[in-house]
């Protein structure tokens, strides 16, 4: 082989590992930035929900060998709770909808309209996150605040968590709904794709045995291609966990106050990093920044973990590259 | 996927009794699925109509031809900045995507290494956008002292675009008939020649469609850019140490700013975003149809 060819091949190899280098350096640099926080807070970072940057106008003091503002205290519980609850709600809403949409486009709709419908559902993924946030603030929050949440508080108050004061539409419910719109295209598209790869004989066999369309659909999604269904849902969950802007805009972005009901304002790890980074820059000890870096590391570990498991279960190529996650 | 699995093997037996109730169940599922699909389509269409309508009813010519600060003036600096950033992101992500994809599809590459490269590419797509933004801030903006700038924002965007592009380009390379590539090698062509005469020209359409898709995703991003591109009330004056405006920032900041005009700017920016993003997606699908 000629030398130029060898150089060319080596160069393509270097370029192929760029994503790996990017991923590892993101993790390494953000982790390094978070180191002072682990010394300062230790395990208490996971056991408190209070997030207090401390007094910026008093001299910083040494804690466990690192400089921190006086009175500073950092805990991720509130944000973790918000991230998990908004994502869980999003999945609860998105999964049945995606399931029914799959059944509909695969079994009930004429195949000509099917393509249009799938493209339409995929368009949900194309809407930028801030546009969802804008729509959430202007349209969704007032509807929740004026009609839906008062109705729920009045009629469903016997269920724990449904009783409480309604402050504004922003919070868990608004975030869950917006997130579900963002992940429905992902979940639907994975299930639809796996449905399309089911051999014709299996489907025809089921019908010839006398199964109804509902039974065929239920069997194929929950049994035959269960892996894609579970994997697709996890991929959607991974997206929801890391989603930033839309949730930041409709969650209420609360700090230091635990939610008391489903109507309370909430906050997520991703949204907190975005909204607190500006003020963290005023901390001359960089402890506040380290705390946000620690938040970023935890968020990254959780969402990458979920996405990797989802991808592994669903199989490579579950997503055709269009549905961002 | 296993093909051996069959309905009977799964232990799921059809109950031949109660045919009536099974039919009713089917009817319920049928109705419910149409209702759900209908609701989702109505929501989607209403979001589009709402954003387009509120943008179109507040747009003025002045907004489109003057720069502004999200509260006064226009959004021209944001429009220009968005495409500058996306272009910069493409500049940083396209060459490695093409060459990396060539490595992954090359049969002579080390199998384990190319599998690992693909795995990392897949995992990189799942990194939350704000984590990329945070990384860009602490490393590019602060340590490398780039300041809020076009380069920092472009790199932050390229980290997100890179895995998409690499995956889409890899798929379009794999769609090329294998015989053609084998023939070229059999005739004595080396890897450079196969890449430049077969892979690139043959995958042109698929690659272009993928680029449009990556651009459409990048144009709608916010979280990476907030702390890497920053913001600029005017046009960026250079590649470094000069913040850049972008449309998503106007939406975010404008709607949180308590004046009517800033809300109008947010609506208009949202309209421009949704038009360009869906336009690009549609174009990409049209170009890549049948692929």
């Amino acid at each position: 082989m000629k030398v130029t060819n060898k150089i060319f091949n080596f160069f393509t190899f270097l370029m192929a590992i760029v994503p790996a280098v990017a991923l590892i350096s993101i993790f390494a640099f953000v982790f390094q930035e978070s180191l002072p926080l682990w010394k300062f807070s230790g395990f208490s970072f996971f056991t408190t929900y209070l997030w207090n940057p401390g007094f910026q106008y008093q001299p910083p003091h040494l804690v466990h060998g690192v400089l921190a503002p006086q009175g500073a205290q950092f805990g991720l519980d509130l944000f973790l709770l918000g991230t998990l609850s908004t994502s869980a709600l999003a999945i609860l809403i998105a999964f049945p909808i995606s399931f029914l949409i799959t059944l509909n486009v695969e079994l009930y709709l004429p195949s000509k309209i099917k393509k249009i419908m799938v493209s339409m559902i995929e368009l949900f993924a194309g809407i930028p996150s801030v546009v969802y946030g804008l729509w959430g603030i202007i349209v969704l929050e007032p509807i929740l605040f004026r009609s839906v949440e008062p109705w729920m508080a009045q009629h469903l108050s016997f269920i724990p968590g449904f009783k409480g004061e309604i402050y504004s539409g922003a919070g868990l419910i608004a975030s869950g709904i917006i997130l579900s719109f963002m992940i429905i295209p992902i979940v639907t598209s994975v299930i639809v794709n796996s449905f399309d790869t089911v051999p014709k004989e299996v489907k025809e066999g089921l019908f010839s045995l006398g199964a109804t369309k509902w039974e065929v659909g239920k069997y194929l999604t929950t049994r035959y291609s269960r892996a894609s269904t579970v994997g697709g849902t996890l991929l959607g969950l991974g997206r929801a966990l890391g989603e930033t802007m839309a949730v930041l805009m409709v969650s209420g972005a609360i700090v230091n106050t635990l939610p008391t009901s489903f109507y309370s304002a909430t906050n997520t790890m991703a949204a907190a990093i975005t909204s607190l980074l500006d003020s963290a820059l005023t901390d001359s000890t960089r402890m506040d920044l380290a705390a946000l870096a620690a938040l970023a590391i935890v968020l990254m570990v959780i969402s990458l973990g979920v996405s990797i498991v989802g991808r592994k279960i669903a199989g490579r190529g579950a997503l055709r590259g269009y549905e961002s996650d | 996927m296993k093909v051996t699995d069959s309905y009977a093997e799964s232990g799921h037996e059809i109950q031949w009794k109660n045919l009536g109730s099974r039919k009713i169940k089917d009817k319920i599922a049928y109705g419910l699925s149409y209702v759900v699909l209908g609701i989702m389509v109505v929501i989607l269409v209403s979001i589009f109509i709402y954003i387009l309508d509120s943008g179109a009813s507040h747009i003025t010519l002045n907004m489109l031809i003057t720069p502004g600060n999200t509260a006064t003036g226009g959004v021209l600096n944001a429009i220009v900045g968005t495409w500058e950033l996306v272009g910069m992101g493409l500049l940083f992500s396209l060459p490695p995507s093409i060459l990396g994809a060539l490595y992954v599809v090359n049969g002579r590459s080390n199998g384990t290494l190319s599998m690992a490269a693909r795995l990392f590419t897949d995992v990189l797509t799942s990194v939350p956008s704000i984590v990329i933004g945070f990384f860009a801030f602490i490393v590019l903006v602060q340590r490398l002292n780039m300041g809020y700038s076009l380069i920092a924002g472009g790199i932050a965007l390229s980290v997100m675009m890179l895995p998409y592009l690499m995956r889409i380009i890899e798929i379009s390379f794999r769609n090329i008939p294998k015989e053609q590539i084998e023939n070229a090698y059999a005739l004595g062509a080396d890897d450079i020649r196969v890449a430049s005469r077969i892979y690139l020209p043959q995958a042109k359409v698929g690659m272009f469609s993928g680029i449009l898709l990556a651009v459409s995703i990048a144009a709608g991003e916010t979280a990476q850019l907030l702390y890497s591109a920053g913001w600029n009330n005017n046009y960026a004056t250079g590649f470094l140490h000069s913040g850049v405006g972008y449309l998503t920032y106007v939406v975010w900041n404008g709607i949180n700013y308590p004046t009517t005009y800033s809300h109008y700017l947010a609506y208009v920016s949202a309209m421009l975003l949704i038009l360009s993003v869906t336009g690009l997606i549609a174009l990409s699908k049209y170009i890549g149809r049948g692929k």
Side-chain angles (χ1 to χ4, degrees):
Chain A
M1 230 195 284
K2 270 190 266 171
V3 183
T4 45
N5 204 46
K6 274 197 172 157
I7 295 172
F8 174 77
N9 276 343
F10 184 66
F11 198 61
T12 59
F13 166 71
L14 282 186
M15 292 296 125
I17 59 170
V18 167
V21 173
L23 187 71
I24 291 168
S25 49
I26 288 174
F27 193 86
F29 279 106
V30 176
F31 185 72
Q32 193 202 3
E33 190 69 44
S34 76
L35 281 176
L37 184 273
W38 302 115
K39 278 187 197 156
F40 174 72
S41 291
F43 196 67
S44 77
F45 187 62
F46 296 100
T47 53
T48 171
Y49 70 90
L50 294 170
W51 191 276
N52 185 349
F55 303 106
Q56 307 293 337
Y57 298 106
Q58 286 179 15
H61 62 159
L62 272 174
V63 182
H64 306 309
V66 283
L67 266 183
Q70 289 185 35
Q73 187 187 12
F74 302 102
L76 60 46
D77 285 4
L78 175 67
F79 308 134
L80 183 65
L81 177 73
T83 295
L84 296 181
S85 58
T86 50
S87 303
L89 181 61
I91 288 290
L92 276 181
I93 299 171
F95 181 72
I97 292 179
S98 303
F99 181 67
L100 284 169
I101 289 177
T102 309
L103 287 190
N104 191 295
V105 297
E106 288 291 343
L107 298 168
Y108 298 130
L109 268 189
S111 57
K112 268 190 185 170
I113 310 177
K114 176 191 156 182
K115 258 197 162 164
I116 302 172
M117 278 300 158
V118 173
S119 307
M120 249 183 134
I121 295 300
E122 281 177 352
L123 257 192
F124 266 110
I127 300 179
S129 179
V130 274
V131 175
Y132 273 121
L134 177 82
W135 182 80
I137 290 177
I138 305 293
V139 180
L140 184 63
E141 280 184 15
I143 295 176
L144 290 177
F145 176 58
R146 293 196 193 118
S147 332
V148 179
E149 289 181 357
W151 184 89
M152 286 165 71
Q154 202 184 344
H155 297 278
L156 303 172
S157 59
F158 57 91
I159 308 170
F162 280 87
K163 196 175 165 178
E165 212 169 323
I166 296 155
Y167 303 95
S168 75
L172 172 63
I173 299 176
S175 312
I177 292 174
I178 296 265
L179 279 179
S180 75
F181 291 166
M182 303 178 106
I183 63 178
I184 282 171
I186 298 175
V187 183
T188 308
S189 134
V190 175
I191 308 182
V192 165
N193 281 354
S194 80
F195 217 107
D196 283 343
T197 58
V198 173
K200 228 179 178 179
E201 294 77 20
V202 177
K203 278 181 216 168
E204 283 165 0
L206 289 177
F207 282 123
S208 71
L209 286 171
T212 61
K213 282 183 173 178
W214 159 246
E215 284 163 345
V216 170
K218 200 174 74 169
Y219 169 73
L220 288 180
T221 42
T222 58
R223 305 247 184 154
Y224 191 91
S225 29
R226 179 166 47 193
S228 299
T229 310
V230 175
T233 310
L234 284 178
L235 280 173
L237 181 62
R239 163 91 196 264
L241 290 167
E243 176 50 45
T244 314
M245 292 314 290
V247 179
L248 175 62
M249 291 165 90
V250 299
S251 66
I254 204 166
V255 186
N256 290 334
T257 311
L258 283 177
T260 52
S261 72
F262 286 120
Y263 317 118
S264 307
T266 180
N267 205 343
T268 67
M269 291 194 275
I273 297 170
T274 318
S275 59
L276 298 176
L277 187 51
D278 225 1
S279 57
L281 301 180
T282 60
D283 181 355
S284 59
T285 65
R286 285 180 83 91
M287 183 54 73
D288 208 347
L289 205 60
L292 292 178
L295 213 51
I297 284 291
V298 176
L299 172 64
M300 198 170 157
V301 167
I302 296 176
S303 77
L304 286 192
V306 169
S307 301
I308 291 171
V309 173
R311 218 173 276 275
K312 186 134 181 70
I313 295 176
R316 186 169 203 265
L319 291 172
R320 285 164 300 164
Y322 162 56
E323 309 80 5
S324 54
D325 64 314
Chain B
M1 193 182 299
K2 273 182 290 179
V3 192
T4 52
D5 205 0
S6 79
Y7 200 70
E9 273 173 40
S10 73
H12 186 103
E13 282 173 33
I14 296 172
Q15 295 167 353
W16 290 104
K17 296 172 213 164
N18 307 324
L19 186 66
S21 77
R22 286 173 48 221
K23 282 210 162 147
I24 290 171
K25 247 189 199 169
D26 189 49
K27 283 270 164 1
I28 292 173
Y30 174 82
L32 206 59
S33 75
Y34 268 104
V35 170
V36 164
L37 187 66
I39 290 174
M40 290 317 289
V41 169
V42 166
I43 289 175
L44 182 71
V45 170
S46 78
I47 292 177
F48 268 91
I49 289 179
Y50 180 80
I51 298 290
L52 294 182
D53 178 56
S54 48
S57 53
H58 298 302
I59 198 169
T60 61
L61 183 64
N62 197 38
M63 286 180 185
L64 294 177
I65 56 169
T66 49
N69 62 0
T70 79
T72 56
V75 294
L76 185 59
N77 55 332
I79 299 174
V80 173
T82 299
W83 298 114
E84 282 174 344
L85 284 165
V86 171
M88 203 51 98
L90 203 57
L91 191 70
F92 288 127
S93 57
L94 191 57
S97 320
I98 294 175
L99 292 169
L102 277 175
Y103 179 81
V104 172
V105 295
N106 189 341
R108 269 185 261 170
S109 310
N110 182 325
T112 324
L113 278 179
S114 68
M115 223 164 79
R118 280 201 314 227
L119 181 76
F120 274 106
T121 310
D122 285 349
V123 173
L124 191 61
T125 58
S126 308
V127 177
S129 53
I130 183 60
V131 176
I132 299 176
F134 189 85
F135 164 77
F137 177 73
I138 59 170
V139 175
L140 304 177
V141 174
Q142 290 198 328
R143 286 188 197 202
L144 298 178
N145 197 23
M146 290 180 179
Y148 291 137
S149 61
L150 206 48
I151 301 270
I155 294 177
L157 275 188
S158 74
V159 172
M160 189 216 79
M161 294 164 88
L162 177 68
Y164 282 107
L165 283 172
M166 207 183 263
R167 189 161 59 183
I168 294 170
I169 292 172
E170 185 200 323
I171 292 171
S172 46
F173 283 166
R174 286 194 194 281
N175 283 340
I176 301 169
K178 244 196 168 120
E179 295 76 22
Q180 208 173 347
I181 294 155
E182 281 163 4
N183 286 348
Y185 278 123
L187 288 171
D190 57 8
D191 291 325
I192 303 177
R193 194 162 273 264
V194 172
S196 63
R197 294 292 171 85
I198 301 203
Y199 277 123
L200 293 183
Q202 291 280 346
K204 211 167 41 187
V205 175
M207 275 165 59
F208 189 58
S209 144
I211 290 170
L212 288 179
L213 213 48
V215 165
S216 81
I217 297 170
E221 284 296 338
T222 322
Q224 289 105 326
L225 296 175
L226 287 174
Y227 295 97
S228 58
W231 167 256
N232 197 330
N233 290 339
N234 217 311
Y235 308 103
T237 50
F239 289 104
L240 291 170
H241 306 291
S242 164
V244 195
Y246 39 96
L247 284 170
T248 47
Y249 184 92
V250 182
V251 179
W252 183 59
N253 219 41
I255 204 65
N256 287 319
Y257 201 80
T259 65
T260 329
Y261 187 71
S262 70
H263 287 191
Y264 292 170
L265 287 177
Y267 294 145
V268 169
S269 305
M271 178 187 76
L272 294 175
L273 273 173
I274 220 168
L275 281 178
S276 36
V277 167
T278 49
L280 283 167
I281 293 175
L283 190 62
S284 152
K285 287 216 158 184
Y286 177 75
I287 290 173
R289 68 195 183 281
K291 292 259 165 186

